[in-house]
Amino acid sequence: GAVLWGKSMTYNPKDPTWVNRDRFILSAGHGSMFIYSWLNLAGYDLPVDELKQFRQHHSMTPGHPEFPNSEHTTPGIEST
């Protein structure tokens, strides 16, 4: 995952919904901290303070990535 995200994938953190972006599919929520960390390192609007709130109610980093809704609005997460 780190090689794909760090070197091979095409994405734009300033426009997370860019139509021509590559998608990273992570099966199993147990690896969600991996995707949150990479979103942060890649420049998405996911501050370190939100990473520190991992698995906390109303945080941008729930234990299982959630499709954006009124409670979770994590940039770069597109599906549950």
Side-chain angles (χ1 to χ4, degrees), residues 2-15:
V3 171
L4 285 175
W5 193 270
K7 297 187 180 193
S8 299
M9 292 180 60
T10 303
Y11 54 87
N12 181 353
K14 293 181 180 169
D15 185 7

Side-chain angles (χ1 to χ4, degrees), residues 20-45:
N20 203 27
R21 68 197 176 280
D22 290 332
R23 273 74 165 189
F24 183 84
I25 310 246
L26 177 70
S27 90
H30 296 94
S32 59
M33 183 46 93
F34 172 83
I35 191 80
Y36 296 142
S37 299
W38 276 105
L39 289 169
N40 171 271
L41 292 171
Y44 283 78
D45 186 21

Side-chain angles (χ1 to χ4, degrees), residues 7-80:
K7 297 187 180 193
S8 299
M9 292 180 60
T10 303
Y11 54 87
N12 181 353
K14 293 181 180 169
D15 185 7
T17 60
W18 173 48
V19 74
N20 203 27
R21 68 197 176 280
D22 290 332
R23 273 74 165 189
F24 183 84
I25 310 246
L26 177 70
S27 90
H30 296 94
S32 59
M33 183 46 93
F34 172 83
I35 191 80
Y36 296 142
S37 299
W38 276 105
L39 289 169
N40 171 271
L41 292 171
Y44 283 78
D45 186 21
L46 187 59
V48 171
D49 287 341
E50 284 294 334
L51 297 179
K52 292 176 183 176
Q53 295 297 314
F54 179 59
R55 299 184 73 186
Q56 300 301 310
H57 192 58
H58 297 297
S59 76
M60 293 173 68
T61 54
H64 289 84
E66 300 285 337
F67 186 78
N69 59 39
S70 61
E71 190 172 334
H72 302 287
T73 56
T74 310
I77 301 297
E78 299 181 38
S79 64
T80 299

